[in-house]
Amino acid sequence: MSELFDEVDEEVRREQLKKLWEQYSLYIIAAAILIVAAVGGWRGYQYLEAKKAAEAGDAFNRAVELSEQNKHADAETAFADLAAKAPYGYRLLARFHQAGEAAARDPQAAAKLFDDLAADGSIGAEFQALARVRAGGLLVDSATYADMTRRLEADTAPEATFRHAARELLALSAYRANDTASARKWVDMMAMDAETPPSLRSRAEALQALLPPVAKS
């Protein structure tokens, strides 16, 4: 008897499955097709992105080679093309290199490119700070001390990544403007910072030697 009941149960299950398949087969097939298409699409997207990255990497290396060969105009053009078309990582690097190449041709134009980077919140705070310092380095001999202070003072804070370079640029700008009090302030800040790099510390000491002695009260 138990075998008979088992056979009946099996037949009932087959009938239920047959009815379910007849009722939902189109949905099941459609879902399977969608899953296959989605997986295929994702794999295709990954392949295309990897191909774009490889092509951008090759183009970036060629642009660097042009720069190393002192073909700065060609390098600037190549980096500008990458900055417009490459995937994000290479695009960001290319924008910095484009500005660097432009510096040999037109420091003011290069500073504007760095200013554009500094104003771009999508690149992250550290890259923005780097762009500000790079622009400041190009403008230190032409911008007013007030302008340099506006640009870089926030980057001199104790926790700022590029504080050492920002302090040096402000010290040089103040010295150029004959503002000895401000120049001394930045030089002293560099001297008191234990993490100031040795090379920068040496330059700060040299600048300090050029400043008039502090008047004794």
Side-chain angles (χ1 to χ4, degrees):
M1 288 294 292
S2 63
E3 292 178 358
L4 178 61
F5 285 130
D6 289 340
E7 290 178 5
V8 171
D9 286 342
E10 184 67 26
E11 185 64 27
V12 170
R13 281 195 293 272
R14 278 198 295 269
E15 286 297 322
Q16 289 175 336
L17 289 172
K18 182 180 179 183
K19 288 179 181 179
L20 287 171
W21 175 252
E22 290 173 350
Q23 186 174 0
Y24 296 108
S25 59
L26 290 177
Y27 299 104
I28 294 171
I29 293 170
I33 291 172
L34 285 174
I35 291 170
V36 171
V39 171
W42 174 247
R43 292 290 174 82
Y45 171 79
Q46 288 180 315
Y47 169 78
L48 289 176
E49 288 300 300
K51 185 171 182 288
K52 287 179 183 177
E55 291 172 349
D58 290 341
F60 185 86
N61 289 334
R62 288 194 296 272
V64 170
E65 288 174 2
L66 288 171
S67 178
E68 291 173 346
Q69 294 165 5
N70 293 320
K71 298 178 180 178
H72 297 294
D74 292 337
E76 183 182 349
T77 299
F79 284 124
D81 187 59
L82 280 166
K85 300 176 183 178
Y88 176 77
Y90 282 110
R91 187 165 69 248
L92 178 57
L93 286 174
R95 290 176 70 187
F96 273 93
H97 279 272
Q98 178 192 357
E101 296 299 328
R105 170 180 57 82
D106 186 343
Q108 294 291 331
K112 176 62 170 61
L113 291 172
F114 281 123
D115 283 344
D116 291 342
L117 281 159
D120 187 349
S122 69
I123 69 174
E126 289 202 355
F127 281 116
Q128 287 179 285
L130 175 59
R132 285 193 295 272
V133 169
R134 292 292 303 274
L138 292 170
L139 298 173
V140 67
D141 291 328
S142 59
T144 65
Y145 175 62
D147 184 36
M148 292 291 290
T149 301
R150 177 186 61 79
R151 287 171 169 276
L152 295 175
E153 188 168 24
D155 293 307
T156 65
E159 70 282 0
T161 303
F162 301 103
R163 64 187 183 276
H164 310 299
R167 292 167 182 171
E168 181 180 31
L169 288 170
L170 287 175
L172 291 170
S173 181
Y175 178 76
R176 176 180 167 275
N178 294 317
D179 186 343
T180 57
S182 295
R184 184 173 289 108
K185 178 184 77 171
W186 298 117
V187 167
D188 289 345
M189 195 176 292
M190 288 186 278
M192 290 186 292
D193 189 337
E195 295 182 357
T196 298
S199 59
L200 194 150
R201 190 180 296 277
S202 296
R203 293 197 297 272
E205 291 171 355
L207 180 57
Q208 187 175 39
L210 297 175
L211 298 174
V214 178
K216 296 181 178 179
S217 55

